[in-house]
Amino acid sequence: QVQLVESGGGLVQAGGSLRLSCAASGRTFSSYAMGWFRQAPGKEREFVATIQWSNLDTYYADSVKGRFTISRDNGKNTVYLQMNSLKAEDTAVYYCAAGSVKATTAPRYDYWGQGTQVTVSS
């Protein structure tokens, strides 16, 4: 079992930056691939970014590529999402997830956090 707790969300102006954190506890964190997803009101949950356990293999949604960076610190059992050049359309609840393999679809992940709200004002 893995427990995930996100933090770092908030209100920011368009063009600004935020860094989300996801602290993991429970089973061996370093053996899991980690992902970030987001869900805006009235929309389905969508993939944002994922990182393999080795921290060498990452993948991003086209909508965030070049603006967001996913990273992890296995010593701290934490995964991060650095979000720069934020846009109004980035407004959503952001969720971190843990799974056995790096993937871009939600069903491939076994554990989820409770989410953190990110609001970007235009």
Side-chain angles (χ1 to χ4, degrees):
Q1 193 79 4
V2 175
Q3 293 80 42
L4 304 172
V5 179
E6 303 98 333
S7 61
L11 174 64
V12 63
Q13 289 188 334
S17 298
L18 280 175
R19 188 177 81 156
L20 305 183
S21 299
C22 175
S25 60
R27 298 183 67 179
T28 306
F29 170 76
S30 61
S31 65
Y32 285 90
M34 300 298 295
W36 285 97
F37 289 75
R38 65 187 182 186
Q39 188 166 17
K43 295 187 177 181
E44 293 186 353
R45 190 168 298 190
E46 66 171 356
F47 166 76
V48 175
T50 184
I51 185 167
Q52 190 53 279
W53 71 270
S54 65
N55 205 29
L56 299 178
D57 190 14
T58 60
Y59 187 77
Y60 298 90
D62 287 342
S63 59
V64 306
K65 200 173 296 183
R67 300 188 299 123
F68 290 12
T69 302
I70 188 171
S71 62
R72 66 191 294 165
D73 185 334
N74 288 338
K76 295 183 178 180
N77 286 0
T78 301
V79 62
Y80 304 98
L81 186 68
Q82 178 67 44
M83 305 186 295
N84 299 329
S85 302
L86 282 161
K87 306 175 182 179
E89 51 263 44
D90 294 318
T91 294
V93 177
Y94 283 71
Y95 299 88
C96 72
S100 57
V101 295
K102 181 170 67 68
T104 62
T105 55
R108 299 294 298 274
Y109 290 85
D110 303 310
Y111 305 102
W112 292 83
Q114 83 290 347
T116 185
Q117 177 70 47
V118 172
T119 303
V120 184
S121 62
S122 56

